[in-house]
Amino acid sequence: MAFDQRVFVSFNPFNVYVSQADVKPACVLRQSNAVNVLQDRKLINDKEVRECKSNVMNTWAYVGDLSDRPQLSCVYKSEDAQNEFLSNPKLGIGEDVYDDDIKREMAAGANTKRVKNKQSEGQREVGKRNKKEAKAEEEARQNTVVDM
């Protein structure tokens, strides 16, 4: 299964917009035979294989039917997510790399339902930066009005 989704980012002001995912039937080919299968069907050539490997990708996936113009993608199998999930599946749910409350809760022996009601350190830093930028823009706007 594949999820086609678009993420749009604006930088001034910084915002992230996410489209609704479109779920499609898909398949990831085994690393051991992906290239052979796709080359035998004349769906990829040697140049595409080299480009895939040079981008540190390690196998191929497709959406649709292999015998009817499939949408091919060179993909990377990440072992990191699987290992984290297997070691402690509850740890990564709803958290991000900037969250600093997990270790504190685990050290305190908290084993209760967690409702996140405050910003992480990373979120606070981004908020401060946005406020500074907005203040600088307002000051610049006021200065241009005065200069006229």
Side-chain angles (χ1 to χ4, degrees):
M1 167 178 349
F3 295 91
D4 280 347
Q5 188 169 32
R6 291 185 180 195
V7 177
F8 299 89
V9 178
S10 67
F11 292 103
N12 193 7
F14 181 80
N15 285 303
V16 178
Y17 304 89
V18 182
S19 69
Q20 185 171 359
D22 185 18
V23 181
K24 298 180 178 182
C27 181
V28 177
L29 298 169
R30 292 179 190 263
Q31 289 174 265
S32 59
N33 64 356
V35 172
N36 295 337
V37 168
L38 296 174
Q39 282 184 327
D40 289 349
R41 294 173 181 251
K42 301 195 183 333
L43 295 171
I44 59 172
N45 58 37
D46 289 335
K47 181 182 176 192
E48 291 167 323
V49 172
R50 282 192 305 277
E51 287 174 359
C52 179
K53 287 182 181 179
S54 70
N55 290 329
V56 194
M57 302 297 205
N58 54 19
T59 193
W60 291 83
Y62 66 91
V63 174
D65 184 355
L66 269 183
S67 38
D68 185 24
R69 296 177 31 210
Q71 297 173 358
L72 295 172
S73 297
C74 178
V75 296
Y76 173 75
K77 179 182 178 186
S78 171
E79 300 285 342
D80 296 339
Q82 179 182 6
N83 292 339
E84 184 175 320
F85 181 77
L86 292 175
S87 64
N88 188 348
K90 294 180 182 178
L91 187 61
I93 297 174
E95 301 294 338
D96 61 36
V97 295
Y98 295 113
D99 284 334
D100 51 3
D101 55 348
I102 296 174
K103 290 180 184 174
R104 190 172 44 245
E105 289 178 8
M106 290 178 73
N111 192 16
T112 61
K113 178 179 176 183
R114 290 191 318 245
V115 177
K116 191 166 183 171
N117 59 3
K118 65 179 184 174
Q119 293 181 326
S120 68
E121 184 179 334
Q123 291 168 324
R124 287 190 298 271
E125 288 175 17
V126 170
K128 287 178 189 176
R129 193 173 334 128
N130 287 344
K131 285 179 185 176
K132 286 180 184 177
E133 290 172 3
K135 184 178 179 182
E137 286 176 10
E138 181 60 31
E139 288 173 357
R141 201 172 307 121
Q142 288 175 355
N143 290 338
T144 57
V145 171
V146 171
D147 291 342
M148 293 180 144

